[in-house]
Amino acid sequence: MILSNKKQIRTGLAGIAVVFILLTAAVVNGEVFDLTDYPSQHPAVDSLRTELFYVSKDSSAWDRMSPLYRSFYQTRTTGHTQIFPKREPLTYNLWLQEKPAELIVVLPGLGGHYSNVTSTAFADLFYNAGYSVLVISSAMNWEFMESASSVKAPGYTPVDAADVLNALQVISKQLDREYPGKIKRRLLLGYSLGALHSLFISNIEYGVKQPLFSRYLAINPPVDAFYAMSVIDRYYMVGAKWDKVEMDRRLKKAVKVYMELVSGKTDKNKKIELDADEAKFLIGVNFHLILGDIIYSIYRSHKLGIINAEYSWCDRNKIYAEINTFSYRKYIKKYLLKVYSEKFNQKLTVAELNRRSSLEAIRQSLMKNPAIRVLHTKNDFLLNKANHKWLAEVLGERLTLFSDGGHLGNFYLRDVQQKIIESMIIKQKTK
Amino acid sequence: MFRNKAQIPLVLLLLAVIFYSGTVNAEDINDRYRSSTVIAMFDYSLPQPVLLVGVSEPLMESAYTSEIVGQLPPSTNEILEIEDPIQGFNRVMFVGNDFFIMWIMRPVSRTYEFIIPLYFRERIGHIYDNSQMPRKVLSNLCRSRYKGAGIEFSRFLINTTVGIGGAYDPAYDWWELRPYPSDFGAAFADWGFEHGAYIVLPIQGSTSVRNVTGLVLDTAADPMFWVSWFLLPFPIGLSVNGGLSVNGASLVISAYERMRSSSIDPYMTMRNYWYLRRIYDIEQ
């Protein structure tokens, strides 16, 4: 009898434990969406599918017969705002609804320009959902750096995010002046590095009486900024193991596949005919070129003495040759350490810079801020297992995980788009 | 297609077993199921990362402390085999062309766009492309792409008749005959000639020594060239050529403006893009 009671108690406790775990799991895990029809390959190959996300509206022949026809991109208003005196004004693209509407601000990924295809596709998506949309360049894009950055070298997230917020505050005031009553609430969306910045902006605004944004949606943010950069370096290094013949063969193949992808000739349901190394190398080269732009921008704006080649308008091959020797890790060491050690007047380490640049630094506000939503993929190559665990632990049900897509490679799916739009909806509190 | 992940029940079952056996602790869970990210999410008792999230990854140890390990891959110039020995001349030409595009071609093109809707501009573009059959067939033959030459010739016959002079593309829409674009520059590439130096020509824009040579043959195989300059009276020929140029520009000028505004060094962007585009033209 006693034994039987003990058994019952143990069974009962186990049942309670299961219920407890079930409830806890629902909170900690957030949502996980299985993209069953996704033609999944290596995360790097999947990531190339971000090129399949472009302006969706396929205009009819009748539309194009009208002399008044304009493509979605051509319907934008390009605005300019002076952020700092004696500098070029910051430029942005704006799609404004005719009636008063909520404004979504889009922050692109690393090096992204305000006119880039992915940001424009987001603008199209949200404009058709009834929102007004504003897109600015990434804090690590040369255009933003030269107009709105308060530092000589971008890459240190707290300062970059503060610069972005400052620019957006100035732009908001300008929009309120130019379009009174047209903008209701402001919502912030960032993807990739833009997502990291949007979360840091949420940290700055957390607890503020009248924050600029009512929602912060971060899509595929890196958790650990410098880890993400080191992965990009590793991807670029893939090409170093190929000899000239191998490089030539793989490059031709990769360029052909990529150009067809970009020009919309690829069947979205079929697998991409690239192997993991080729995709990694394409991604690595792309980000390496972006890094080149960043360093070139610093070179022409500030004399830091890191690039030694003499400037010549006629021949910049030597400058680019020197810039090409930089990886992201080298950039962090040569530029960020130098600039921020001077700025903070203390000798910093890379680990210290990274600690302040990564999401762990804003853990407390991330845990508490109800206005945050994060969408991520389970196989994003910029995250490691610890990062995934960390996100789930800190964000709980505010995190949504997609099963596939690598880094940004599932935006073209209608269901993912729907989830992105849903994540922007702020439910009104019922009295 | 879009449904909630149903992976939790199995995990919960395992956890319930561990609970029931009275040995549950987070380290056990973590050791047993370290590969599962879902399990890792339950793991509250592990020490929180103090400095770096994910610092335990071996990659991270070297990422912050070491110099670049190994040799970086070749630079973009080397990968794309770009030779740019006359960059000064090219940059001057590029600035001149940019001025021409932005201050002459763009206003003309904008006016033209307002008069001729996109739909009809696309049709004109298709008709011109259809007229390029001799170039495409001959260069395909020179590259021993006999199937390509045959398909291009068939496309020409179908599109010229059923497709109303090439305005439409029933060859692809109805018979799925995909184009086999080709030119004599690509033929030289197939024969083993290297690009040679990158050159920016006035009005013509980006090209290379190999492509300039190909361009001569391309022009010779262009029926519009012979018709407009030798068969038609000069003013009409000039108008036809000018009209085709403006029509072509109206279809791509927005993309050029976008490239120009988004690039810190448009010359380099244009040069790199042109090389990639040539690889694609030759490979497709």
Side-chain angles (χ1 to χ4, degrees), chain B residues 37-237:
Chain B
T37 50
V38 178
I39 283 289
M41 290 168 191
F42 298 108
D43 181 6
Y44 297 111
S45 66
L46 286 181
Q48 298 302 326
V50 180
L51 279 178
L52 304 168
V53 180
V55 75
S56 58
E57 289 270 312
L59 175 70
M60 296 302 292
E61 288 168 17
S62 64
Y64 303 132
T65 54
S66 67
E67 288 298 326
I68 303 305
V69 181
Q71 185 71 36
L72 277 176
S75 68
T76 320
N77 276 14
E78 290 165 314
I79 293 170
L80 298 177
E81 295 176 345
I82 297 172
E83 290 174 38
D84 196 359
I86 51 167
Q87 195 175 130
F89 169 82
N90 285 342
R91 280 190 181 272
V92 172
M93 288 297 116
F94 183 83
V95 169
N97 285 346
D98 184 66
F99 180 85
F100 177 74
I101 291 167
M102 296 306 289
W103 295 99
I104 297 171
M105 211 61 175
R106 187 173 61 159
V108 172
S109 173
R110 287 282 178 267
T111 312
Y112 178 78
E113 279 173 35
F114 188 72
I115 298 165
I116 313 283
L118 176 62
Y119 181 81
F120 299 105
R121 286 184 277 130
E122 286 174 345
R123 302 282 81 74
I124 293 167
H126 287 175
I127 290 169
Y128 175 73
D129 186 56
N130 189 56
S131 77
Q132 298 302 298
M133 180 274 291
R135 168 175 63 78
K136 290 186 265 189
V137 169
L138 289 173
S139 60
N140 266 315
L141 287 174
C142 289
R143 301 171 70 186
S144 306
R145 301 205 311 182
Y146 303 115
K147 184 185 166 192
I151 286 178
E152 277 299 339
F153 189 67
S154 306
R155 282 176 51 78
F156 174 75
L157 291 179
I158 294 167
N159 288 346
T160 306
T161 51
V162 187
I164 316 173
Y168 298 91
D169 191 1
Y172 178 69
D173 294 338
W174 296 350
W175 287 283
E176 292 188 351
L177 290 175
R178 280 182 76 114
Y180 268 71
S182 182
D183 57 59
F184 284 97
F188 285 130
D190 274 8
W191 295 340
F193 288 92
E194 297 292 334
H195 259 302
Y198 175 70
I199 306 170
V200 181
L201 294 177
I203 312 297
Q204 177 69 27
S206 297
T207 188
S208 66
V209 172
R210 182 177 75 194
N211 259 53
V212 169
T213 320
L215 189 66
V216 175
L217 295 175
D218 286 340
T219 309
D222 178 2
M224 293 303 284
F225 171 78
W226 297 103
V227 169
S228 58
W229 295 117
F230 294 99
L231 290 181
L232 295 173
F234 179 74
I236 297 175

Side-chain angles (χ1 to χ4, degrees), chain A residues 64 227 236 244 320 327 333, chain B residues 60 66 68 73 81 122 265:
Chain A
R64 283 178 290 139
Y227 170 77
Y236 184 53
K244 193 176 179 306
Y320 283 111
S327 63
K333 283 185 167 185
Chain B
M60 296 302 292
S66 67
I68 303 305
E81 295 176 345
E122 286 174 345
D265 187 351

Side-chain angles (χ1 to χ4, degrees), chain A residues 9-27, chain B residues 8-22 24 29 42 44:
Chain A
I9 291 165
R10 288 183 81 175
T11 311
L13 283 173
I16 292 166
V18 169
V19 172
F20 174 75
I21 292 162
L22 193 66
L23 290 170
T24 316
V27 174
Chain B
I8 295 172
L10 180 64
V11 173
L12 289 175
L13 186 66
L14 291 166
L15 280 167
V17 171
I18 297 163
F19 255 86
Y20 189 68
S21 65
V24 66
I29 297 170
F42 298 108
Y44 297 111

Side-chain angles (χ1 to χ4, degrees), chain A residues 85-144:
Chain A
K86 295 179 185 175
R87 288 215 220 163
E88 288 292 313
L90 183 70
T91 310
Y92 57 85
N93 276 342
L94 175 69
W95 286 265
L96 204 61
Q97 298 280 352
E98 286 185 11
K99 291 179 181 173
E102 292 179 331
L103 176 77
I104 292 181
V105 176
V106 178
L107 302 181
L110 177 58
H113 190 254
Y114 66 86
S115 69
N116 80 7
V117 176
T118 306
S119 299
T120 307
F122 270 122
D124 177 49
L125 181 70
F126 283 114
Y127 189 81
N128 288 323
Y131 294 92
S132 293
V133 185
L134 181 137
V135 185
I136 64 167
S137 299
S138 159
M140 290 188 81
N141 176 276
W142 65 273
E143 198 258 349
F144 186 95

Side-chain angles (χ1 to χ4, degrees), chain A residues 140-181:
Chain A
M140 290 188 81
N141 176 276
W142 65 273
E143 198 258 349
F144 186 95
M145 286 163 61
E146 295 180 7
S147 301
S149 180
S150 63
V151 285
K152 291 173 183 171
Y156 178 63
T157 319
V159 170
D160 289 351
D163 284 343
V164 172
L165 180 59
N166 177 51
L168 291 175
Q169 282 167 338
V170 177
I171 291 171
S172 288
K173 282 178 190 164
Q174 184 186 7
L175 294 182
D176 287 342
R177 276 197 311 273
E178 290 180 6
Y179 309 101

